Each structure stands twice: as C-alpha cells, then as structure tokens.
Amino acid sequence: MDISTAQVGRQQELTNRFNEVRQLTLEICEPLQPEDFVVQPVVDVSPPKWHLAHTTWFFEIFILKKYVSDYRLFDDDYPFLFNSYYENEGDRWIRSERGVLSRPWVKEIMAYRSYVDDSMLQFLKTTELNEEQLNVFEIGLNHEQQHQELMVYDIKHILGINPLFPTYKRSNLPDYQPNLKTNWLRVDEGVYEVGYEGKDFHFDNEEGKHKVYLPGFQVQDRLVTNGEFLEFVEDSGYGNFNHWLMEGHEWVKKENIRAPFYWIKEEGEWFYFTLGGKEKLNLDEPVTHISFYEADAFAKWKGMRLPTEFEWEVACKLHSPEIPAEANFMDSRNFRTMPRVGANPQFYGDAWEWTNSAYLPYPHYQKVDGALGEYNGKFMINQMVLRGGSFATMANHIRPTYRNFFHPHLRWHFTGFRLAEFT
Ligand code: AVJ
Ligand code: FE
C-alpha cells in the first residue's frame, strides 16, 4: 500500500524518532558489563536486560501483533517474560523474580530488539498509519523514554549497593558559578487552569484542562540543596517526630533511615554515591534520593510545606513557560544533578519534585478500553505526584503538565523538592 504524500513526511519523522529512541536505550547500556544486565537488588529495580526486552515487547504487542496481519512473534514465550503488568495481555513472570532469569541472555534480547526494529521500520515504510496507530506509536516511543529513565535509576541502584562503588560514567562537574540565592515566586490568589490542552503527544493522566482555585502563595525558584538538607540531618531532623507524618516516622524507624539514599558518613565526613562513583558530598547540588516523607519533614522543620501539583504547574507556566538552555536533562549526558547556575528559575530537569498532591484522576478522566487503559489509570491510589523531570529525562519528553507518580516511601529514583508557603 502506498503512503499519501501528505503523510510521507510525518512517517519519515516518526522513523527518525524511532531510530533515535531505540539507539539511546543501547547507549545507556554501553558502560555495562554482562553481569550488570541481570541483577535485581530490590523489587522496584528491574534488570537492564528486562528493560531492553520489555520496551521491545511493547512495540511487538501493541503495534506489530495488532496491526501487521502476517507478523510472527520473535519468540512465543517472550510475552510471558516481558509483560510488566497488563492483565489484559495475560499471565506473566512475577515482578520480584525478574533478576533470577539468566536466560534469555543479552545477545538473544539484542536479536529480539533487531527483529522488532526491522519489522517496525518495514511497517512504517509500507503502511499509512491511521490516527489510532499513530497514537500508539507515540505511546511506544514515550514508553521507551520512561524506561530509559528507569534504567538509569536501576543501574545506579545496582552499582550503588556494591561495596566497590563502581563508576558508571565519569562526569566531572565543570567549573561553575552556583546561584544559590532563593527568589520567591509569587502567585496571586485566583482561579487558574491546569491540565494538558493541545494537539501534541501527552499521557491520558494529564488530559482534561480544568479550573482550580489557589489561595495566594509563593514557591522557591530552585530546588532544595544538599547543603540545606544536611542542616536538617545535623539538626537531628530524622529523630524529631514532630516534623514527621506518622507513616513517615514509622518508615524512618523501621528502615533505620538517617540520611538520603546513597549518602555515606565516614569519619565525620559526608560522601555520596553518584554515577561517577563515590564522591565528597557537593553541598551546592539539589538534594536527591529522598522520599516524599523526608521532603515533607524537611518542609515542616522549616515551618513551610511542599507545593501541590497545581501550585507547581501554575507557578511553572507563569514564571518559566520555556525550558531554559541550562536545564539539566539526559540530553546533556551529565548523569548527575548540577548546581543551579544563572538567574532563571529551575523548574525542569535535575530531579523530579515531590508535590503534596495525591495521584488522582482529573475531572472526566476516562481510561481507554483494553490493555492500554492499564497504562496509567489503575495506579491512581496511594501514590504522590512528581513534576518537572530529572537529569535522566529527555527534554522532548517533559511538559509543565506532565504528571509522574511514585509511592511516598520510594527514593531510588531522582527525587527532589522545593518549598512553598501561603502569602
Ligand atoms: C510513570 C514512571 C511511574 O515506572 O511504571 C513504564 C512508567 N509505565 N511502563 C512506571 C511506565 C509503563 C511508570 N512511571
Ligand atoms: Fe513499561
């Protein structure tokens, strides 16, 4: 079948983006050794090998199997291994045991990727995609970008619990002039609009522009730093139950938490594990690897609070509608948080910001029928919303309306926060 001239350009662009996204996943794995691909230190971490296959399975099941009539699965057993959580797609291997599978080995999974890549490119070259197919294609690309970020969290965890503190990739901080002055960004009391509106790609959970009432408030124009968080640590912040939500306090006691994840105290000096190995704690960088509970306790210790996801979005759209050039995303391959430089507010990149909002559906949220309806909607309970992206997010993946979500106790991902207060 021929592709109409009107759509040739669009499909060529999709082909280029598909190649770019698939390639970046491999680039992220380049520094890894064979053994790194297999381990799963905790249930939240997936072996890099699993991510390589699961992102491939996604295209195979939701595009090739569905829309290419003579398509043959690469391996009939793979869907059982690489389906993550889609009940509509049938039985699957248990999540907590992903790290016990030495087979299929990495080379077989690379062959799986090539096979699916070839089939996808063939499909794009020979078939005019309809609206539904174009949309699923975009979801597949954005899904792989989410997994690229998850792979960086997981690789850091795999290396970071190793007493040898192996280096993923050296990345020396360039000479920098940090701007640690806090400006407070004000937003007047009023009714504002939040949620996605437009024609570009977005996830279903950010859809449905709607009005919210916000009392007058102000937020910091940058993330809280390691230096500031250290003051909380040294002021016995973890030990004073007055700062903590009960769930958080119970978590601190049960897990014996005394500092952000990856912080190490040796002979009175603070170090932390970075993707560049073990380093002296840099006080100027945004703090990361803190749970929602820790962010919330810090805010209470300061006599302040975390912004809600709506306050965050409105402040971002008002004070930083464009992504500034210095934003620290995966694009620059820093693989670390960076001190804030320059005078622009810091809303994008570095670390995802915990907000004081539960992850709930927006008004009129409708999950689509079938497996893809399971993508975001079924997680709308007991998780908190995070905004803004991290140094492992690609700039073309983020928007002011983008809603990430995680359970409040988790901190192996790149989390941070800013403070807010009513005016
Ligand atoms: C949006 C990051 C919470 O980790 O499960 C990956 C992303 N969704 N595959 C997750 C996702 C489907 C999701 N988060
Ligand atoms: Fe997934």
Side-chain angles (χ1 to χ4, degrees), residues 149-175:
E149 172 149 6
L150 292 164
M151 283 172 86
V152 183
Y153 309 157
D154 293 359
I155 290 167
K156 183 165 181 181
H157 198 296
I158 288 165
L159 300 178
I161 56 156
N162 189 310
L164 302 176
F165 297 120
T167 299
Y168 168 71
K169 204 167 171 261
R170 279 251 158 268
S171 94
N172 295 324
L173 270 179
D175 275 344

Side-chain angles (χ1 to χ4, degrees), residues 54 84 143 147:
H54 164 71
S84 50
H143 174 252
H147 276 276

